[in-house]
Amino acid sequence: MPIDQVSWEAAVRHLYEDGCAFNATGPRRHEDWQADVLAVMERAVPDPRGWIGLDDTAGYGYLAERPAFPFRPPFKADPCRRLTPADVGERLWEIDRASAENLLLALTDSGCTLRNLERFTESFDELQGMARTILARYGDTFTCYSNVSEARRVGTLDFGGQPMGWVPMTFFGEDCGLVVVSDTEVGLFWAFGDI
C-alpha cells in the first residue's frame, strides 16, 4: 500500500488526538534497533521524512532533567539514571502484524482495549484501515514489539476483552505501546494513563 504524509498524519491525528499519547518516528541507524528507539524516546532525532507525530508529554517540564521522559529505567534501577538500549529491549516482546494493527487501535485511549473505539463514528473496518495506513509507512518487512505482558506468552493478542497488563516503561500509572522497526525507521506509538 503506497503511503503519503497527508494520509499518515491524518490517521495518527484522528486516532490519538483525544488520548494522552507519544507517537514519533526516527531513523534506523544501528544494527541494534534498541539504540534507535532510545534516540526517539529522548527526542534526539527528527522524523526522517519530516512528518508530524504527537507528544502529549512534552509540556511536563521534566525534559531537561530526563530527556527520555516519560520513559524510565526499570523500577529496580535508579529512576534518575539515563535509559540504556538494554533497558528498552528487556521490556519489549515481538508481536505479529495482526496484533500490531489491533494494538494501534487499542492505544487510542487508556485501558489498551478495543472498547476505546466506541467513541469513534467510523466502523471497525475504517479504523483498521487507519491502523494499516500507519503501519504502511514502515514498508512490508517490519517487525513489531510491545510491552504488553501477554506478548511474552501468546501469538496473536486479543484486545477485545479486559485491559491487558503491561510491563511499565514510563512514569505513568499505565502505559502500553508499540515499537515498529523497519530497515530504515523506528516508530513508537505509546498511550498513557495517570501519572
Side-chain angles (χ1 to χ4, degrees), residues 131-146:
R132 288 183 181 134
T133 295
I134 291 171
L135 290 175
R137 171 187 178 147
Y138 304 98
D140 294 325
T141 58
F142 58 82
T143 54
C144 297
Y145 303 86
S146 179

Side-chain angles (χ1 to χ4, degrees), residues 1 6 17 42-43 48 53 71 103 116 121 136 152 158 161 163 172 179 185:
M1 165 199 292
V6 172
E17 67 187 354
E42 291 183 341
R43 300 161 183 88
F71 299 97
L103 179 53
N116 293 335
T121 58
R152 289 185 273 195
D158 178 12
F172 285 89
V179 173
E185 295 180 317

Side-chain angles (χ1 to χ4, degrees), residues 93-116:
W93 299 277
E94 189 168 351
I95 63 173
D96 62 24
R97 187 178 293 233
S99 295
E101 287 177 10
N102 285 332
L103 179 53
L104 283 172
L105 298 178
L107 293 173
T108 58
D109 208 346
S110 62
C112 199
T113 175
L114 292 177
R115 287 181 291 163
N116 293 335

Side-chain angles (χ1 to χ4, degrees), residues 5-16 129-131 133-134:
Q5 179 177 1
V6 172
S7 59
W8 189 86
E9 288 179 354
V12 168
R13 269 193 313 276
H14 185 71
L15 289 176
Y16 304 109
M130 290 179 202
T133 295
I134 291 171

Side-chain angles (χ1 to χ4, degrees), residues 10-98:
V12 168
R13 269 193 313 276
H14 185 71
L15 289 176
Y16 304 109
E17 67 187 354
D18 288 338
C20 184
F22 179 89
N23 302 326
T25 297
R28 171 95 186 266
R29 296 179 175 156
H30 301 89
E31 182 67 29
D32 178 4
W33 56 266
Q34 297 160 6
D36 297 314
V37 169
L38 181 56
V40 175
M41 289 176 170
E42 291 183 341
R43 300 161 183 88
V45 292
D47 185 295
R49 302 182 197 200
W51 296 5
I52 303 298
L54 296 172
D55 186 357
D56 293 329
T57 64
Y60 279 88
Y62 300 109
L63 295 179
E65 300 167 16
R66 296 181 181 110
F69 181 85
F71 299 97
R72 61 162 289 154
F75 277 119
K76 294 181 181 178
D78 176 358
C80 293
R81 79 159 167 79
R82 287 187 75 125
L83 277 167
T84 67
D87 293 332
V88 173
E90 71 185 24
R91 295 177 283 168
L92 296 172
W93 299 277
E94 189 168 351
I95 63 173
D96 62 24
R97 187 178 293 233

